[in-house]
Amino acid sequence: MSLADWLIIDRVPEELAPAGRTLAKVFQQDPAHLARRSMIRLRKWWRGGWLDFPQVVHLETTNTCNLRCVMCPYPAMVERRIRPQGFMSEDLFRGLVRECAAAGTVEKMALMGLGEPFLHPRLIEMSRVAKRAGIRHVFTSTNGTTVNEETAARIVLESGFDEICFSVDGANSATYEGVRSRGAYEAVVRNVERMFRMRARWGRSRPHFVVQLLLMRETAGEVERFVSRWRPWLRLGDRMSIRDVDRFGGLVEDRRVRDPHAGRVRAPCKQLWRDAAVSWDGKVTVCCKDVYWRLSVADATKQSLREIWRSAAWNRLRDLHREGRYEALPICRNCSEWHT
């Protein structure tokens, strides 16, 4: 694929020269959002690499799902009853949004977790609440199975989403349905195409759409077909995402086709100083990959997120990373998605 192709795909390949990779990453950013992120990160650098509130906040609106995907920890969670299932309450959500909006450091808010976000009956209203509160970038990721005509219209006309990612893992029915059990490839493709058409019909520029392919053994041979299939639908601000499948700290089978950290010396994960994730029932963990909340440090129904972010419990985990004691943390010990 050419550099022009990679400008609309957020997995920038190593074969591009460093200047080309930098250019591609810049072109993938919304200019206003990029400017705000740059100011926040300059402030973070000035304060020694740590702000007093997260930059990225993940709110798990629900941990229920209608699919049983082979690369996801959700099926095991249900079968082993590892976590109770439910939907985030409006009171908890509004309180978290108010605090995040007032903090002034939040670059992104993700309305998603270990579940299908659009199963929450008030997700569209929740996105609108976040946007009206002043959250600059509100996004979610969906399997696209529930986006019917009515939902598509409401997303375009009523939601506060800046970006929605549609996970379409495959370029044909056999691959997709082998990976995403209970899903129907042709139905999902129709739903995603409907979203593009609906946005064009109403002349809207938002939400931006991301069409995603998780790179794993089952999908590795379909990248070119996937890109050719979805390239014609993209408009300014849209992109394709082709990224390595997660292992969720060893919670699922390793289906990757490569190790992105091969040959690299491990370093403390920047998520501990950047991200916070809140479960549907208020538990707070330090990493969005900790989908069973094993590293939960507090309860957002009892403390503010700012207090939790600066707490002794959270700082203890940061110290373990600074000291290189990753084996002391069950998720970090087997993690292959650590960020530097």
Side-chain angles (χ1 to χ4, degrees):
M1 286 178 282
S2 67
L3 175 59
D5 284 328
W6 288 113
L7 292 179
I8 57 172
I9 302 174
D10 68 4
R11 178 175 177 262
V12 182
E14 291 300 319
E15 58 265 27
L16 290 180
R21 292 200 301 272
T22 300
L23 178 64
K25 289 179 180 179
V26 168
F27 271 89
Q28 290 161 3
Q29 301 289 326
D30 174 79
H33 184 55
L34 180 62
R36 178 171 173 77
R37 286 180 64 187
S38 298
M39 292 300 295
I40 292 173
R41 293 179 185 197
L42 179 61
R43 178 180 164 195
K44 184 176 183 178
W45 171 81
W46 184 258
R47 291 171 58 94
W50 186 37
L51 296 172
D52 59 2
F53 200 83
Q55 294 163 262
V56 181
V57 177
H58 305 258
L59 302 184
E60 184 187 58
T61 55
T62 183
N63 66 340
T64 62
C65 192
N66 56 342
L67 300 187
R68 298 294 185 271
C69 304
V70 297
M71 65 290 191
C72 182
Y74 179 82
M77 184 198 78
V78 175
E79 292 166 12
R80 302 174 193 169
R81 299 182 180 180
I82 295 170
R83 292 179 58 203
Q85 293 181 270
F87 300 86
M88 183 172 284
S89 71
E90 185 172 351
D91 286 346
L92 176 59
F93 178 79
R94 286 181 179 271
L96 289 165
V97 166
R98 281 194 299 268
E99 187 179 7
C100 290
T105 65
V106 177
E107 301 173 11
K108 296 181 179 181
M109 178 175 283
L111 305 188
M112 61 193 207
L114 185 60
E116 167 48 43
F118 280 97
L119 291 181
H120 195 300
R122 297 186 60 81
L123 182 71
I124 292 174
E125 288 86 349
M126 294 166 88
S127 71
R128 192 165 61 244
V129 167
K131 197 63 185 174
R132 288 177 175 173
I135 303 299
R136 294 301 182 104
H137 189 81
V138 182
F139 73 102
T140 193
S141 181
T142 174
N143 60 37
T145 57
T146 66
V147 184
N148 56 27
E149 188 86 16
E150 179 185 357
T151 301
R154 293 190 63 213
I155 288 171
V156 172
L157 298 176
E158 302 175 19
S159 83
F161 285 118
D162 295 284
E163 184 175 273
I164 298 177
C165 177
F166 296 97
S167 295
V168 188
D169 296 314
N172 58 63
S173 295
T175 299
Y176 175 88
E177 291 164 18
V179 167
R180 291 191 170 268
S181 179
R182 302 189 183 181
Y185 176 75
E186 294 298 338
V188 169
V189 166
R190 285 195 300 272
N191 289 349
V192 177
E193 290 177 348
R194 180 189 293 119
M195 284 302 320
F196 282 102
R197 291 195 185 97
M198 191 73 72
R199 188 184 60 183
R201 180 191 306 171
W202 291 101
R204 302 299 177 93
S205 60
R206 298 291 178 98
H208 293 153
F209 297 140
V210 180
V211 189
Q212 177 175 273
L213 176 77
L214 291 177
L215 193 62
M216 54 186 136
R217 295 192 302 265
E218 292 86 346
T219 63
E222 300 187 10
V223 173
E224 295 281 355
R225 279 176 288 168
F226 180 87
V227 171
S228 298
R229 174 68 180 75
W230 292 106
R231 185 196 294 114
W233 291 90
L234 305 187
R235 298 297 178 262
L236 183 65
D238 299 332
R239 69 184 194 278
M240 283 174 278
S241 173
I242 300 171
R243 67 176 185 85
D244 298 298
V245 69
D246 292 330
R247 293 181 59 238
F248 295 95
L251 294 180
V252 296
E253 178 187 348
D254 188 355
R255 313 182 90 87
R256 297 172 302 163
V257 295
R258 64 167 194 153
D259 180 359
H261 296 305
R264 297 174 63 187
V265 177
R266 186 163 182 178
C269 182
K270 66 183 180 183
Q271 290 205 169
L272 285 158
W273 287 266
R274 188 193 67 185
D275 293 32
V278 185
S279 69
W280 70 268
D281 52 354
K283 293 182 176 64
V284 180
T285 187
V286 301
C287 177
C288 64
K289 307 298 182 186
D290 180 24
V291 293
Y292 292 166
W293 262 255
R294 291 177 173 174
L295 299 181
S296 178
V297 290
D299 189 331
T301 66
K302 300 176 181 178
Q303 287 180 276
S304 71
L305 196 53
R306 184 181 298 275
E307 289 172 330
I308 296 168
W309 178 252
R310 302 169 68 177
S311 68
W314 202 310
N315 284 332
R316 174 182 168 272
L317 302 184
R318 292 184 178 115
D319 287 342
L320 288 171
H321 268 244
R322 287 192 187 101
E323 296 162 7
R325 296 170 59 195
Y326 311 111
E327 73 286 347
L329 303 173
I331 294 297
C332 306
R333 180 189 307 136
N334 299 310
C335 181
S336 58
E337 288 93 38
W338 49 274
H339 298 272
T340 59

